[in-house]
Amino acid sequence: MGSSSTPQPAIASSSAAPPPPPPVVASAPSSSQHLGLLKGRAAKGAQPNRPLGKPLPVAESAGTSKPPVFARANLARAKFWAKDSPIYAKIMTALNEPRIEASFAATLEVNLGNIRKNYRKGADKLGAHVEAAAVIKADAYGLGATTVAKALMQEGCRTFFVARTTEAIKLRSELRDEDHPLADTVKIHVLDGLLAHVEPRVLVEYDISPVLNSPAQAKRWSDHAANSPTGKLPCILQFDTGMNRAGMTEAEAETMIAQLSGTAGPDAAGSLEQERYAGLEVTHIMTHLAKAGEAAPRPGEGNDATRQAGETSQAQLARFETLCQHFPQAKHSIGASSTVFLEPAFHKDMVRMGGTFHGQAPFEADTNPLLPTITLVTSLSKIHQLKAGEGTGYGLRFTAHQDMPVATIPLGYADGLPRRAHGNAPADAGQPEAFVLVEGRYRAPFVGATSMDMSTIDLSAVPKAFHHEGARVTVIGPHEASGQGITPDHFGDSEGTNASELQTKITSRVRKTYTDQA
């Protein structure tokens, strides 16, 4: 190449290279975006078709003997991200440096050992004749679907549910990429079923079984089964028994049952309606309980004792059992996590556990029989001395009634904290107080509205020895003295949400670490 102030990459070719195209001007991603992109790609290996914040160059004009520019760019990126590339090794080394890891403002510590113990506890409650499936949708509630799935496989889990087709593909692909011995044997079901824009062949390619929620989904899946060697494809049928959210309605169920049994009579073309769903291999039928958490404890029994389901759940059970009579060859599943702790009539052939192995309370937050699985920690970043009458945060929604120390922590709604607008003001009486633990012991309530990148806490009850930048702050985790601390359920209650929403919204700005001591 000729001399230039901007060196151009050499492109191998049998002929002289044409002049390089003018540089593409694009806004560069921020350093945090670069770090996230680099780390994600480094963890996955080569992903050559996604440039770092820049569009691919426009293809060269027709007639050239060289590959198009975008093809050469893809080849260059493939070499760049190859795991034996010295550049890849340098990136991995940099990203794993303690000084880089320590740059995160907050850390989510995930206890895989407790996840495994909670799964075992749930499976033991169900008994050997009931399958304990695992729901790992939303990236296993934000903790990493493949990582959690592999931990649960060690405990014997062989059936997984996700919500989206893309989640199912990602799980199967990552297990295959890692050459996991169970990569092609575990069952993966997608709760969305077969959405209108999803091609059935994609599910077949990745050995994914849909939970069919409507007659239209069932018809499309059955039609596609004609392309399979056996003429049938496995699926789960979901029926709505009272939640009015997903699954076939009572009227749709009646029609489908008649068509499956061949009692609906000839259609306009003269063939039996039974042929409409001839391609379905119904492995399970399922429904979902609307109020599984409403169950009264028996007096004098422990937190992990079996409970009596409430009236709504009992009514749903009765409707579901009527449906089960029409599918004697299929397995039946009525419940999810709280169902583990209901009477055996609700267990059926399979329970779809999710919150159970995450340690979420099946009923009341204070009666949780499960082990905690996450700890969210950060540190004090700035100390302020408020004078009486001064406010803090956007809108100054909290006003100090006396001189008081407050501190900011580098954790806001962009990191996953709920956006609090009320600020623990006196007008919010009746709502549980949201707080953190400074140095794992000292209660410090949130004050003021939550910002995108930070929150403010009251240090009045914290010894002055810990009024300094860098003091450890536990947002979710145990109290170092009592062990009780702040669970996701307690924190969710104080913020007007629940443990699942709180956990799934923790973003990539928070570093995740894993321990596994079961």
Side-chain angles (χ1 to χ4, degrees):
M1 303 294 290
S3 61
S4 172
S5 59
T6 304
Q8 301 294 327
I11 302 176
S13 173
S14 58
S15 60
V24 178
V25 178
S27 58
S30 66
S31 58
S32 62
Q33 288 174 317
H34 264 301
L35 180 61
L37 288 166
L38 289 171
K39 192 159 190 175
R41 291 185 197 177
K44 302 282 183 201
Q47 293 189 25
N49 59 336
R50 297 183 62 194
L52 277 177
K54 293 185 179 181
L56 286 171
V58 178
E60 293 179 358
S61 59
T64 178
S65 61
K66 298 179 181 180
V69 170
F70 68 81
R72 286 181 275 143
N74 282 344
L75 178 60
R77 278 190 294 276
K79 292 179 179 179
F80 182 89
W81 289 109
K83 289 191 175 182
D84 58 353
S85 162
I87 300 177
Y88 175 89
K90 185 178 292 186
I91 291 172
M92 283 299 297
T93 300
L95 292 176
N96 288 325
E97 280 189 31
R99 63 190 179 91
I100 300 296
E101 290 293 314
S103 298
F104 284 88
T107 297
L108 183 73
E109 301 166 0
V110 182
N111 190 324
L112 294 173
N114 280 358
I115 287 177
R116 292 167 56 191
K117 290 175 184 176
N118 287 337
Y119 175 85
R120 286 204 303 267
K121 186 180 186 71
D124 290 344
K125 288 281 291 183
L126 297 174
H129 67 288
V130 180
E131 182 175 12
V135 180
I136 53 172
K137 60 185 179 179
D139 202 26
Y141 295 26
L143 303 189
T146 303
T147 300
V148 171
K150 290 190 295 183
L152 296 178
M153 286 182 212
Q154 296 180 53
E155 303 303 324
C157 185
R158 297 295 182 269
T159 299
F160 297 95
F161 284 82
V162 294
R164 306 283 185 258
T165 299
T166 48
E167 293 176 334
I169 292 171
K170 182 174 183 288
L171 176 60
R172 182 75 76 190
S173 298
E174 290 183 351
L175 290 174
R176 286 174 174 172
D177 288 346
E178 295 180 12
D179 293 324
H180 193 281
L182 299 176
D184 292 305
T185 58
V186 293
K187 297 175 183 176
I188 303 176
H189 303 285
V190 60
L191 293 165
D192 270 348
L194 191 62
L195 296 180
H197 63 277
V198 176
E199 295 185 29
R201 62 183 179 86
V202 175
L203 275 69
V204 174
E205 179 182 348
Y206 288 91
D207 194 16
I208 298 164
S209 175
V211 176
L212 302 175
N213 292 288
S214 70
Q217 288 189 1
K219 179 66 165 60
R220 288 181 63 217
W221 190 244
S222 179
D223 289 347
H224 189 75
N227 302 317
S228 69
T230 63
K232 288 184 176 292
L233 287 173
C235 64
I236 295 176
L237 300 182
Q238 179 164 207
F239 297 101
D240 176 25
T241 58
M243 193 171 184
N244 297 314
R245 185 186 66 167
M248 285 172 264
T249 65
E250 183 177 359
E252 290 172 335
E254 290 177 356
T255 301
M256 171 168 278
I257 289 169
Q259 290 168 339
L260 285 169
S261 63
T263 60
D267 63 11
S271 61
L272 289 178
E273 283 282 350
Q274 186 177 11
E275 296 179 4
R276 181 183 297 269
Y277 303 116
L280 300 184
E281 179 189 336
V282 182
T283 62
H284 299 72
I285 67 168
M286 62 175 274
T287 192
H288 199 69
L289 298 178
K291 294 185 176 182
E294 292 186 3
R298 294 182 174 91
E301 294 190 344
N303 292 341
D304 60 351
T306 298
R307 293 197 181 194
Q308 181 74 31
E311 291 183 4
T312 301
S313 295
Q314 296 287 356
Q316 285 191 256
L317 174 63
R319 297 187 194 105
F320 186 66
E321 288 183 333
T322 299
L323 289 166
C324 290
Q325 295 173 12
H326 298 282
F327 297 90
Q329 303 304 317
K331 293 184 177 181
H332 308 142
S333 176
I334 190 173
S337 290
S338 294
T339 314
V340 170
F341 297 91
L342 297 181
E343 59 263 39
F346 286 86
H347 296 167
K348 298 301 180 186
D349 299 302
M350 174 197 288
V351 170
R352 310 177 305 273
M353 293 196 297
T356 299
F357 57 80
H358 286 287
Q360 295 178 10
F363 305 111
E364 307 85 9
D366 291 331
T367 63
N368 191 354
L370 302 166
L371 297 172
T373 59
I374 62 172
T375 301
L376 178 60
V377 295
T378 184
S379 60
L380 299 184
S381 59
K382 174 66 176 174
I383 315 298
H384 303 268
Q385 297 295 328
L386 285 186
K387 295 181 179 179
E390 290 184 333
T392 183
Y394 282 120
L396 300 178
R397 291 185 172 90
F398 176 86
T399 302
H401 297 287
Q402 59 186 10
D403 293 355
M404 61 184 293
V406 298
T408 53
I409 59 174
L411 204 62
Y413 60 77
D415 303 290
L417 290 190
R419 185 180 179 275
R420 304 168 56 260
H422 57 77
N424 280 354
D428 300 316
Q431 181 166 348
E433 184 181 61
F435 65 95
V436 298
L437 296 173
V438 177
E439 291 298 329
R441 289 173 175 262
Y442 305 105
R443 184 176 176 128
F446 284 95
V447 292
T450 304
S451 302
M452 180 181 290
D453 309 304
M454 63 189 76
S455 304
T456 309
I457 58 175
D458 175 9
L459 296 183
S460 297
V462 178
K464 291 185 177 180
F466 304 115
H467 291 200
H468 61 82
E469 296 181 16
R472 179 182 171 91
V473 176
T474 300
V475 181
I476 297 173
H479 188 287
E480 292 188 358
S482 67
Q484 298 301 312
I486 309 166
T487 69
D489 294 287
H490 287 117
F491 193 86
D493 287 347
S494 69
E495 296 286 9
T497 182
N498 62 25
S500 293
E501 181 181 17
L502 179 69
Q503 190 169 308
T504 56
K505 286 188 173 179
I506 296 174
T507 70
S508 60
R509 297 207 310 186
V510 177
R511 179 176 66 129
K512 291 185 180 71
T513 62
Y514 297 86
T515 60
D516 190 354
Q517 296 179 351

